[in-house]
């Protein structure tokens, strides 16, 4: 029988920790929260100082029964859930449900190593009720506010809509960016470049570098201005005109021109300017920067990045992955110095301790780093994605402890030998060359190309091979990706980095946002409507500053500067005024200004899972519906793209519609049961007739699970051959 019991949150973490404790220690897991506010009712007693009424989660009853037996069989219990507000609250719930004494030892550690765990056991503390209160305040606030707003949205817009403190503001960011893109007006400009060379250039230099291109240092706003200028520098030939499409935004494409002249002009090198610059090493990863970097580099959802990081942490390969602190322990800095010396020599080391702005002392952990920097991903038993993420974290940590890169910048300024009366200020052609004189941290964390500086001397003359004038248009800002949305939310102090993954996942699941083919986040029609409504009737709560102020107040509660009950009372008095006004407003109806052809009531827009459609206002008495213009255009495109093709059942494909959207079917449907979604069919066209390399009888086909595509044998599950396509 063991004397001591340690309770952690994860079963895999429990197995790892058990290896590093003494023989009289047993380790088990609570598997996250064990009790919570139920979703069915409000469950907050407002009259009794906002007392929450927690209930045990029904799927956790067996876990709690097992925990109670273990507690009885052990002399002492240690609570070892992660160190932040959420997990501090879970430890507190465990003391209540398991009826543990108030002074039950609470231990925390930021890395799962033998030294860190044994040190934590020797230096326990009690549960920090300040952190617990901060978590309860956040939880009650969400109940108080958004549980009241959501039913209003059901009445005024559409059933089953929801609004939440951080999610609704995140959707607002996406909606406002989309509106900017829709309203964007492109501005025209022209860019002129000259391709130059000289006869006696070294052939090796030409092979080692790109062509030497000079760019005109002058703003040209139109084709007329461009041609006028080019005539002034003695360009006499007629241009060869090429046209291409230029995507200004998802809503606009412009036809752009390129004018190509083959005149031989002489370019005189008038000025050589040399300067030096540096690139500072990046700080180690914190939660938000890891999410941004890994999401953009590996094309993964932020939620998936955090899931992989959690596995690395639970298997003690990295330190705790929910942190706002960029500092490293001195042991880690010394370890990094040793590894860098062994890899690149002492000239590359630069032991540095980073400091974070607005550091929260209650929740500050060490930055995210490997527990053993000497180990590469290839030294560990990791999956493909785990290895990629571990390697990224390791390289970033080592880079942070290396010297800055030094760069020599050489700027060449040319003028065209032409009319001397013309001012040379309007006749300057520039090219820049960057040569890395010392690579520093770039050696490990950045891919760069070695450049060879062209051997040019002042007053030297080069001949033009080609002069090209390109029409350009300013582009609209791009839609947010998961990575750029995280960056924006962090800059506005909206929510906590540890919650960003669940926030983005939630707004996608609730169809406020959909992912485009280029992995950008596009708000749906319902997102526009809900955001406009919330901004109009709950303006204060939809302000970016309000959400940021909420986080500051949570910090104040955690530091015991303010009592959370008083804050809730102050907020509720304001909120009730907004709520009462919103409940008195009329239901939002988006009219088409057309009459129903069946009953002559108004036709209005209604929403469903995949967008909106037109229906009679007298529904359900009149069930007349029709498509919107956007939906008609989408259906026409699908028919043009697929309806002339053969299906695998050797009939013609037809486009059909169900409650889950458009799908492809056989022309003999429903007799012939073959169906497929358009996106899966497009991928299948690339992979059809690839022989299954396991059974050698059937062929591989593309299938879809949730939002993920994979290859499987056509006779799955009879043949269980599955391959990942690594696309989303």
């Amino acid at each position: 029988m063991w004397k001591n019991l340690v309770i952690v949150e994860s079963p895999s973490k429990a197995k790892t920790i058990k290896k590093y404790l003494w023989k009289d220690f047993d380790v088990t897991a609570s598997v996250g929260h064990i009790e919570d506010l139920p979703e069915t009712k409000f469950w907050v007693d407002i009259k009794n100082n906002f007392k929450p009424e927690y209930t045990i989660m029904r799927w956790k009853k067996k876990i709690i029964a097992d925990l109670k037996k273990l507690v009885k069989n052990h002399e002492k219990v240690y609570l070892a859930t992660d160190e932040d507000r959420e997990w501090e609250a879970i430890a507190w719930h465990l003391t209540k449900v398991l009826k543990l004494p108030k002074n039950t030892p609470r231990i925390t550690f930021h890395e799962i190593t033998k030294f860190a765990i044994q040190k934590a056991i020797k230096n326990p503390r009690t549960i920090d009720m300040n952190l617990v209160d901060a978590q309860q305040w956040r939880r009650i606030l969400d109940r108080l506010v958004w549980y009241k707003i959501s039913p209003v949205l059901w009445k005024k817009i559409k059933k089953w809509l929801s609004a939440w403190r951080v999610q609704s503001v995140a959707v607002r960011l996406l909606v406002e960016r989309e509106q900017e893109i829709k309203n964007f007006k492109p501005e025209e400009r022209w860019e002129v470049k000259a391709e130059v060379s000289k006869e006696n250039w070294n052939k090796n230099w030409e092979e080692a570098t790109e062509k030497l291109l000079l760019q005109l240092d002058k703003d040209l706003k139109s084709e007329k201005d461009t041609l006028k200028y080019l005539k002034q520098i003695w360009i006499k030939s007629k241009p060869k005109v090429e046209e291409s499409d230029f995507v200004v935004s998802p809503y606009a494409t412009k036809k752009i021109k390129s004018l190509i002249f083959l005149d031989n002009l002489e370019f005189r090198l008038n000025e050589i300017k040399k300067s030096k610059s540096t690139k500072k090493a990046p700080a180690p990863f914190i939660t938000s920067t890891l999410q941004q970097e890994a999401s953009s580099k590996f094309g993964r959802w932020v939620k998936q990045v955090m899931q992989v990081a959690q596995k690395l942490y639970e298997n003690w390969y990295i330190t705790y992955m929910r942190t706002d602190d960029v500092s490293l322990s001195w042991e880690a800095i010394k370890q990094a110095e040793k590894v860098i010396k062994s890899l690149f020599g002492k000239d590359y080391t630069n032991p540095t301790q980073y400091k974070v702005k607005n550091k929260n002392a209650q929740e500050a952990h060490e930055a995210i780093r490997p527990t053993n920097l000497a180990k590469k991903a290839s030294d560990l038993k990791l999956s493909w994605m785990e290895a990629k993420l571990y390697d990224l974290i390791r390289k970033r940590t080592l880079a942070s402890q290396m010297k800055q890169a030094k760069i020599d910048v050489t700027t060449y300024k040319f003028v065209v030998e032409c009319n001397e009366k013309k001012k040379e200020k309007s006749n300057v052609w520039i090219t820049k060359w960057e040569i890395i004189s010392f690579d520093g941290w770039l050696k490990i964390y950045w891919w760069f190309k070695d450049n060879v500086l062209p051997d040019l001397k002042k007053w030297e003359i080069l001949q033009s091979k080609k002069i090209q004038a390109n029409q350009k248009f300013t582009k609209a800002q791009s839609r947010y990706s998961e990575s750029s949305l995280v960056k924006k939310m962090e800059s506005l102090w909206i929510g906590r980095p540890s919650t960003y993954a669940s926030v983005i996942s939630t707004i996608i699941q609730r169809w406020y946002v959909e992912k485009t083919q280029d992995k950008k986040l596009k708000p749906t029609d319902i997102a526009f409507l809900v955001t406009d409504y919330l901004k109009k009737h709950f303006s204060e709560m939809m302000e970016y500053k309000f959400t940021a102020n909420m986080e500051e107040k949570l910090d104040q509660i955690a530091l015991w500067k303010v009592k959370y009950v008083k804050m809730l009372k102050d907020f509720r008095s304001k909120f009730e005024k907004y709520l009462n006004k919103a409940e008195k407003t009329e239901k939002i109806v988006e009219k088409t200004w057309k009459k129903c052809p069946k009953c002559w009531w108004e036709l209005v827009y209604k929403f469903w899972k995949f967008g909106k459609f037109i229906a009679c206002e007298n529904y359900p008495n009149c069930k007349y519906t029709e498509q919107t213009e956007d939906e008609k255009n989408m259906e026409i495109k699908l028919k043009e793209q697929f309806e002339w093709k053969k299906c695998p059942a050797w009939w013609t494909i037809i486009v059909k519609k169900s409650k889950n959207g458009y799908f492809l079917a056989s022309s003999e449907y429903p007799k012939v049961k073959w169906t497929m979604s358009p996106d899966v069919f497009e991928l299948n066209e690339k992979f059809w007739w690839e022989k299954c390399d396991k059974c050698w009888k059937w062929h591989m086909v593309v299938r879809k699970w949730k939002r993920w595509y994979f290859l499987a044998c056509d006779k799955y599950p009879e043949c269980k051959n599955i391959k990942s396509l690594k696309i989303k």
Side-chain angles (χ1 to χ4, degrees):
M1 174 182 165
W2 289 289
K3 288 184 180 180
N4 304 290
L5 176 67
V6 179
I7 303 177
V8 296
E9 69 278 1
S10 158
S12 58
K13 188 176 173 181
K15 287 179 185 176
T16 309
I17 290 172
K18 196 169 182 178
K19 297 174 188 175
Y20 302 122
L21 288 173
W22 300 276
K23 290 182 180 180
D24 58 344
F25 276 80
D26 188 16
V27 186
T28 189
S30 68
V31 197
H33 281 276
I34 58 168
E35 64 174 4
D36 197 6
L37 296 169
E39 293 184 6
T40 51
K41 293 180 183 178
F42 186 56
W43 290 90
V44 176
D45 190 351
I46 294 171
K47 293 177 182 178
N48 189 13
N49 286 332
F50 299 90
K51 186 182 177 182
E53 298 177 30
Y54 295 107
T55 58
I56 293 168
M57 297 172 173
R58 52 188 173 82
W59 55 89
K60 290 293 179 74
K61 286 181 180 178
K62 187 180 183 304
I63 291 170
I64 290 166
D66 293 340
L67 286 172
K68 283 180 176 177
K69 286 178 186 176
L70 286 168
V71 168
K72 282 181 183 178
N73 294 329
H74 291 78
E75 292 177 13
K76 194 172 185 179
V77 176
Y78 291 83
L79 298 172
T81 53
D82 290 342
E83 188 187 6
D84 56 27
R85 293 193 296 245
E86 199 72 23
W87 292 105
E88 197 75 18
I90 290 173
W92 177 66
H93 287 297
L94 284 167
T95 60
K96 287 199 307 160
V97 173
L98 302 178
K99 296 179 181 177
L100 300 172
K102 287 184 179 179
N103 62 347
T104 297
R106 167 88 169 100
I107 62 167
T108 58
F109 39 84
H110 305 149
E111 57 181 75
I112 305 177
T113 59
K114 186 175 183 179
F115 173 78
I117 292 161
Q118 291 189 0
K119 184 182 176 183
I121 290 285
K122 290 172 183 177
N123 298 281
R125 61 170 173 84
T126 55
I127 288 171
D128 188 338
M129 286 308 297
N130 299 343
L131 287 176
V132 174
D133 285 347
Q135 190 273 346
Q136 286 197 104
W137 186 80
R138 181 195 65 77
R139 197 78 182 89
I140 295 166
L141 182 74
D142 285 345
R143 271 296 157 105
L144 181 67
V145 179
W146 306 114
Y147 260 59
K148 295 284 186 180
I149 292 178
S150 296
V152 174
L153 294 178
W154 298 2
K155 291 176 189 175
K156 306 301 178 184
I157 302 176
K158 180 192 170 211
K159 261 199 168 187
W160 312 121
L161 289 175
S162 63
W164 295 91
R165 182 172 54 95
V166 178
Q167 286 95 316
S168 296
V169 180
V171 172
R172 180 188 170 180
L173 276 171
L174 296 166
V175 165
E176 288 180 348
R177 173 60 62 86
E178 197 71 17
Q179 286 169 335
E180 286 173 21
I181 294 168
K182 282 182 178 179
N183 299 330
F184 178 76
K185 292 180 180 177
E187 293 179 6
E188 184 182 2
R189 63 185 179 86
W190 283 73
E191 184 181 81
V192 184
K193 289 185 177 181
E195 184 185 322
V196 296
S197 65
K198 65 177 181 178
E199 291 179 8
N200 60 346
W201 254 345
N202 189 319
K203 286 184 180 179
N204 292 331
W205 182 86
E206 284 187 321
E207 289 170 7
T209 62
E210 297 175 359
K211 296 170 184 176
L212 186 57
L213 291 174
L214 311 181
Q215 183 163 333
L216 177 65
D217 188 21
K218 183 178 174 64
D219 289 330
L220 297 166
K221 299 278 176 83
S222 67
E223 185 178 356
K224 185 180 177 182
D225 291 345
T226 306
L227 290 170
K228 183 181 176 182
Y229 173 79
L230 291 173
K231 282 180 183 177
Q232 289 172 356
I233 61 168
W234 292 359
I235 288 183
K236 296 175 182 178
S237 65
K238 286 186 178 180
K240 178 187 174 185
V241 182
E242 293 180 353
E243 284 195 345
S244 59
D245 289 330
F246 182 78
V247 178
V248 174
S249 76
Y251 301 96
T253 303
K254 292 271 188 183
K255 283 280 183 188
I256 58 169
K257 283 183 180 178
S258 289
L259 308 177
I260 301 167
F261 301 86
L262 300 175
D263 295 65
N264 290 319
L265 299 181
E266 291 185 339
F267 288 77
R268 185 181 74 241
L269 179 53
N270 264 20
E271 186 183 338
I272 300 174
K273 186 180 177 182
K274 296 197 173 185
S275 61
K276 293 183 181 292
S277 69
T278 58
K279 281 185 184 287
K280 287 184 179 180
F285 279 130
I286 58 174
T287 306
S288 58
T289 52
L290 177 65
Q291 290 172 350
Q292 292 166 46
E293 190 91 353
S295 179
S296 58
K297 278 194 173 179
F298 307 140
R300 290 290 190 266
W301 293 9
V302 170
K303 185 178 179 180
Q304 292 167 329
V305 171
M306 293 307 290
Q307 285 171 343
V308 175
Q310 179 77 35
K311 287 181 183 177
L312 289 173
Y313 169 64
E314 288 174 0
N315 290 301
W316 75 275
Y317 297 133
I318 64 169
T319 55
Y320 191 50
M321 68 289 159
R322 292 187 180 91
T323 176
D324 298 330
D325 193 350
V326 290
S327 67
L328 293 171
S329 66
W330 287 110
E331 290 83 1
I333 291 171
K334 287 175 185 176
Q335 194 184 65
E337 186 179 11
K338 190 177 177 182
V339 173
I340 293 163
K341 277 182 182 177
S342 67
L343 290 172
F344 311 117
K346 65 179 181 180
D347 291 340
Y348 281 85
T349 63
N350 183 34
T352 308
Q353 184 60 278
Y354 291 84
K355 291 182 180 179
V356 69
K357 294 176 184 178
N358 300 309
K359 181 177 171 181
N360 181 341
Q362 287 294 315
E363 292 189 358
H365 303 289
E366 187 182 357
I368 305 166
R369 65 167 177 86
T371 51
N372 187 348
L373 281 160
K375 288 190 176 180
K376 299 177 185 177
S378 55
D379 299 329
L380 308 170
K381 292 180 180 179
L382 301 172
S383 68
W384 178 83
M385 188 59 202
E386 287 169 354
K388 286 275 186 186
L389 191 62
Y390 177 87
D391 191 49
L392 183 70
I393 294 167
R394 180 177 179 268
K395 285 180 177 178
R396 177 75 167 230
T397 309
L398 291 173
S400 73
Q401 301 302 309
M402 294 172 74
K403 285 183 179 174
Q404 62 186 10
K406 295 177 183 177
I407 298 163
D408 294 334
V409 182
T410 305
T411 305
Y412 295 111
K413 290 187 179 181
F414 291 81
V415 294
V416 177
E417 295 287 348
C418 59
N419 192 345
E420 291 179 6
K421 293 178 183 178
K422 191 70 188 170
K423 289 181 180 179
E424 288 193 349
K425 281 185 180 177
S426 62
N427 182 19
V428 178
W429 301 70
I430 293 175
T431 185
K432 275 189 180 182
W433 289 78
E434 289 189 353
I435 308 296
I436 296 169
S437 56
F438 178 70
D439 49 12
W441 64 274
L442 298 178
K443 186 120 183 153
I444 195 168
Y445 195 66
W446 205 269
W447 181 90
F448 60 92
K449 184 179 178 181
D450 285 325
N451 263 337
V452 179
L453 189 69
D455 183 21
L456 295 172
K457 294 175 184 177
K458 198 172 181 181
W459 313 121
E460 202 161 354
I461 292 174
L462 305 182
Q463 289 285 130
S464 67
K465 290 182 175 181
K466 179 173 75 174
I467 293 170
Q468 187 164 331
N470 297 317
Q471 186 184 26
K472 300 278 185 183
F473 286 95
T474 51
K475 294 180 80 170
Q477 290 190 82
S478 62
R479 289 174 176 140
Y480 286 110
S481 63
E482 287 199 15
S483 174
S484 59
L485 182 60
V486 165
K487 189 175 182 180
K488 185 67 176 178
M489 289 171 73
E490 186 187 24
S491 69
L492 294 171
W493 291 88
I494 297 170
R496 287 278 178 189
S498 58
T499 65
Y500 292 159
S502 62
V503 167
I504 295 170
S505 177
T506 300
I507 61 178
I508 291 171
Q509 287 170 1
R510 291 177 180 169
W511 291 97
Y512 283 122
V513 176
E514 59 186 4
K515 275 207 167 186
T516 60
Q517 286 186 339
D518 58 350
K519 296 180 182 177
K520 302 291 185 184
L521 301 174
K522 180 188 175 186
T524 58
D525 290 333
I526 200 71
F528 281 88
L529 202 62
V530 170
T531 300
D532 288 343
Y533 183 84
L534 291 175
K535 280 169 70 178
K536 187 177 179 180
H537 299 289
F538 299 92
S539 55
E540 188 180 340
M541 273 140 279
M542 285 294 285
E543 288 295 327
Y544 300 131
K545 285 182 181 177
F546 170 82
T547 312
N549 289 339
M550 290 296 103
E551 296 302 328
E552 285 181 23
K553 287 175 182 177
L554 285 168
D555 293 345
Q556 288 174 352
I557 294 166
L559 294 167
W560 200 241
K561 290 181 179 179
V562 182
K563 291 186 177 180
Y564 83 91
V565 173
K566 184 182 181 302
M567 276 193 174
L568 285 169
K569 283 180 179 177
D570 293 342
F571 179 78
R572 183 174 174 266
S573 61
K574 279 185 183 179
F575 172 65
E576 289 293 330
K577 293 175 185 177
Y578 286 111
L579 193 65
N580 292 335
K581 283 183 182 178
E583 286 176 339
K584 290 173 185 176
T585 58
E586 291 184 4
K587 185 173 181 177
I588 292 177
V589 177
E590 202 178 346
K591 293 184 179 181
T592 63
W593 306 107
K594 294 178 185 177
K595 295 287 183 182
C596 174
K598 282 191 174 181
C599 66
W600 293 98
W601 278 57
E602 289 280 348
L603 286 178
V604 296
Y605 288 105
K606 288 187 177 287
F607 292 89
W608 69 306
K609 191 177 181 181
F610 297 97
K612 61 183 180 181
F613 63 96
I614 297 168
C616 181
E617 199 174 15
N618 192 25
Y619 181 87
N621 296 327
C622 175
K623 294 185 179 179
Y624 176 81
T625 62
E626 63 180 61
Q627 293 174 314
T628 62
E629 285 301 314
D630 288 344
E631 195 175 6
K632 283 177 186 175
N633 292 335
M634 187 173 74
E635 190 172 321
I636 289 166
K637 280 184 183 178
L638 286 172
K639 286 182 176 180
E640 287 174 354
Q641 188 178 354
F642 296 108
E643 287 208 334
W644 54 275
K645 294 181 179 179
K646 294 278 185 185
C647 77
W650 300 105
W651 296 95
T652 311
I653 288 174
I654 57 170
V655 175
K656 295 188 79 67
K657 186 181 175 185
S658 73
K659 64 180 181 179
N660 293 318
Y662 287 98
F663 67 96
L664 308 180
S666 165
S667 54
E668 294 297 302
Y669 182 85
K671 288 182 182 178
V672 176
K673 300 289 183 185
W674 179 85
T675 60
M676 194 171 283
S677 63
D679 54 338
V680 174
F681 185 86
E682 278 188 279
L683 282 171
N684 263 311
E685 287 185 297
K686 297 177 184 178
F687 295 100
W688 262 335
W689 311 120
E690 183 182 314
K691 202 80 171 174
C692 174
D693 56 1
K694 192 170 184 180
C695 66
W696 296 104
K697 292 181 181 178
W698 312 105
H699 297 94
M700 301 295 283
V701 293
V702 177
R703 296 178 186 270
K704 190 177 182 181
W705 178 74
K706 292 186 178 178
R707 294 173 185 264
W708 291 92
Y709 301 95
F710 63 94
L711 275 172
C713 182
D714 196 26
K715 293 298 175 181
Y716 181 87
E718 185 182 323
C719 172
K720 294 182 179 178
N721 189 12
I722 292 176
K723 292 179 182 178
S724 172
L725 286 177
K726 293 179 183 176
I727 58 173
K728 188 166 56 172

